[in-house]
Amino acid sequence: AQEGALLGGYAFDKYLAKPSKPLPVQLVVKTDALPGLRRTLATERETLACVNFARDVLNEPANVIFPQSLAEAFQSFGGEAGLRVTVWNEKRLEKERCEGILSVGKGSSWKPRLVIGRYAPKNAKGHLALVGKGVTFDTGGYCLKTAAGQKGMKMDMGGAAMVFGAACAIARAELPIQVSVYTPLAHNDISSTAYHTTDVLTMRSGRTVQVDNTDAEGRLILADALDVAKEDEPDWIIDAATLTGAAVVALGEDIAAAYGTNRDFTASLLEAAAEVGEYLWE
């Protein structure tokens, strides 16, 4: 009931002349009947607040949420949740040889960022890395999307919003697991400085990549972020991204594609998704 009220009652209407009133939620719990329920509900409220934070930054227009402002929002929300948050600006990205992230953001006056959040409790049982695509708006670059195709592109940072919200939820719940979250943020715009098809980039890993399509920008920023994550030697890496329309062609609008290199870990991810009503298909 609480989940239905707090998620179902969500509305993003801050720009309307008459915003709707928040849905009042009143829960009465008899603790003697179900010991521990009050704490469970409190933890769930914290988790749902992180979900709605991700929704908020997703729903904001691209002139409000861009790499710098999203980095600031992550810093603020992450700090309150208990994460230690650092932000790499364009100078640090250059020093770290993150040419994939830098190239995707070259055409925009809003410079790219990489936000890293860490939660490391003393009783941690393993280290989980979360990596999320954060293209705050995707025009497609010189391989320009249609006008209709650009309408939802303020949400091309859905992976970053999701994984950062998840890391905050884990920290708020004080779960016994070390979490590191990496969100590369870039605005894929067009200008005289934007990257082109046939450009050859040297990624942070040292691998060279030829750009055949500037609208395949997500894998470029993720490649650099995954290389940073790999250096921290986590036990598991989960990558989340609005990466390809082929997933929608295959599975429709309501199911996300999931695949991995470790069958047991992939199976546990699918099982966890089923428990909370998230639709994933391997």
Side-chain angles (χ1 to χ4, degrees):
Q2 175 175 258
E3 181 177 338
L6 294 180
L7 293 185
Y10 173 85
F12 186 80
D13 51 13
K14 63 182 284 188
Y15 297 107
L16 298 182
K18 294 182 179 180
S20 59
K21 293 182 180 179
L23 183 68
V25 179
Q26 182 72 36
L27 294 174
V28 179
V29 180
K30 292 185 178 181
T31 54
D32 55 339
L34 292 170
L37 180 58
R38 189 180 296 278
R39 176 172 174 77
T40 298
L41 289 173
T43 300
E44 183 186 62
R45 280 197 300 275
E46 295 288 340
T47 299
L48 298 177
C50 295
V51 173
N52 284 337
F53 165 76
R55 287 168 148 186
D56 282 342
V57 293
L58 276 165
N59 280 314
E60 288 284 5
N63 61 325
V64 174
I65 287 295
F66 43 87
Q68 289 95 320
S69 63
L70 185 54
E72 290 169 2
F74 281 173
Q75 273 187 303
S76 177
F77 194 80
E80 291 174 2
L83 297 183
R84 181 167 55 87
V85 183
T86 57
V87 178
W88 291 6
N89 61 16
E90 62 270 30
K91 291 183 179 180
R92 178 66 185 273
L93 290 169
E94 289 173 2
K95 183 178 179 181
E96 295 285 344
R97 312 175 314 284
C98 294
E99 192 170 354
I101 299 172
L102 288 165
S103 294
V104 172
K106 275 173 63 177
S108 177
S109 59
W110 288 312
K111 300 307 177 186
R113 297 287 184 266
L114 175 65
V115 182
I116 302 172
R118 302 187 189 279
Y119 168 69
K122 293 181 179 179
N123 60 340
K125 300 175 181 177
H127 182 191
L128 171 66
L130 300 173
V131 182
K133 174 186 173 184
V135 176
T136 49
F137 193 82
D138 184 20
T139 65
Y142 277 110
C143 298
L144 188 65
K145 293 179 182 289
T146 64
Q150 292 187 46
K151 282 187 176 178
M153 288 303 102
K154 68 179 184 178
M155 294 187 175
D156 211 12
M157 32 69 73
M162 185 186 83
V163 296
F164 202 88
C168 290
I170 290 169
R172 287 189 178 198
E174 299 180 346
L175 298 184
I177 183 171
Q178 181 181 349
V179 176
S180 299
V181 58
Y182 310 82
T183 58
L185 310 178
H187 229 62
N188 190 19
D189 277 341
I190 297 174
S191 73
S192 62
T193 59
Y195 75 133
H196 313 90
T197 54
T198 72
D199 281 2
V200 176
L201 313 179
T202 301
M203 311 303 287
R204 188 176 189 272
S205 65
R207 183 181 293 270
T208 54
V209 174
Q210 178 173 297
V211 177
D212 286 340
N213 190 323
T214 59
D215 197 21
E217 81 299 328
R219 61 211 70 192
L220 295 176
I221 67 172
L222 287 170
D224 282 342
L226 285 165
D227 191 68
V228 177
K230 182 188 69 175
E231 286 188 351
D232 288 334
E233 300 183 343
D235 298 297
W236 315 278
I237 297 178
I238 295 177
D239 176 291
T242 49
L243 195 63
T244 173
V248 178
V249 173
L251 301 175
E253 297 283 353
D254 300 318
I255 303 172
Y259 55 93
T261 59
N262 182 297
R263 292 202 63 81
D264 291 338
F265 184 53
T266 303
S268 67
L269 178 67
L270 295 170
E271 182 180 343
E275 287 180 4
V276 296
E278 292 285 352
Y279 299 118
L280 301 184
W281 189 268
E282 185 178 12

